[in-house]
Amino acid sequence: VPEGAVHMERAVAGTRTSPILRIEAPAVRGSIRLFSELMRLYLTEGLGIPPEASRLARIRLAVVEVITNVVRHGYAGMEPGPVALSLERSGNDLVGIVTDRGPKFDPYEGRERGRVAQPAPEELRTGGYGLGIVDQVMDHVEHRYDPAEGNVLTLRVKLQA
């Protein structure tokens, strides 16, 4: 892990403190596990979500799908650049922001949000389900492109129903 790539801090909101996780690593396959493990630690130890909670597994799956998409597609044909994740509790929500500095790309362009592809059994394929998973797990997903930050995907999910 490059020095300074992982940062955890506590933000003071009123009288409560809430941990913030920030990770930046190269957009390479080996980084996917790093993001997954650090998210697990943040959610269980930082936010106190029980490790066996199905909500924890679903949140990790959705965020790892986004990171995996950046690793696979974000820098296609280029030298891999950075991918960054920040996670922060905001009230009863978990807010995640994933950024990359690859070419401008809106993952939802031309796609309907909230619908997982359901191909016929004879058409099953590997890949292509990630955004559908993200849409099913997250309560809100928004993409924007900022020339200074690159692609910015904001994810929001309720921590408790």
Side-chain angles (χ1 to χ4, degrees):
V1 178
E3 181 147 343
V6 179
H7 180 74
M8 194 161 180
E9 62 187 58
R10 290 203 174 268
V12 179
T15 58
R16 299 182 53 178
T17 61
S18 176
I20 300 169
L21 176 68
R22 290 193 175 92
I23 310 166
E24 183 172 301
V28 296
R29 286 185 72 171
S31 296
I32 296 169
R33 184 177 176 138
L34 170 74
F35 280 93
S36 180
E37 276 303 300
L38 291 172
M39 276 191 300
R40 181 187 63 77
L41 289 170
Y42 171 78
L43 295 169
T44 57
E45 295 181 21
L47 297 184
I49 298 173
E52 67 280 358
S54 63
R55 191 87 174 138
L56 176 108
R58 290 193 307 271
I59 291 168
R60 281 180 64 200
L61 173 64
V63 176
V64 166
E65 283 294 333
V66 171
I67 299 294
T68 300
N69 280 347
V70 172
V71 168
R72 286 187 178 166
H73 310 293
Y75 296 96
M78 306 167 56
E79 190 68 28
V83 58
L85 168 68
S86 70
L87 289 175
E88 179 176 6
R89 183 177 198 140
S90 176
N92 191 38
D93 291 353
L94 178 68
V95 178
I97 300 174
V98 178
T99 60
D100 71 77
R101 297 192 185 285
K104 180 179 180 179
F105 174 72
D106 182 350
Y108 286 99
E109 188 173 308
R111 297 181 185 180
E112 188 175 345
R113 290 180 194 244
R115 296 188 52 117
V116 176
Q118 299 289 329
E122 65 274 6
E123 297 174 4
L124 289 178
R125 63 186 192 272
T126 35
Y129 299 96
L131 286 177
I133 291 169
V134 171
D135 282 343
Q136 284 203 340
V137 171
M138 296 295 164
D139 297 317
H140 177 80
V141 181
E142 179 183 325
H143 173 270
R144 68 182 170 83
Y145 181 80
D146 180 282
E149 296 179 80
N151 292 292
V152 180
L153 193 67
T154 303
L155 312 161
R156 182 179 287 270
V157 64
K158 296 258 180 259
L159 288 171
Q160 298 170 355

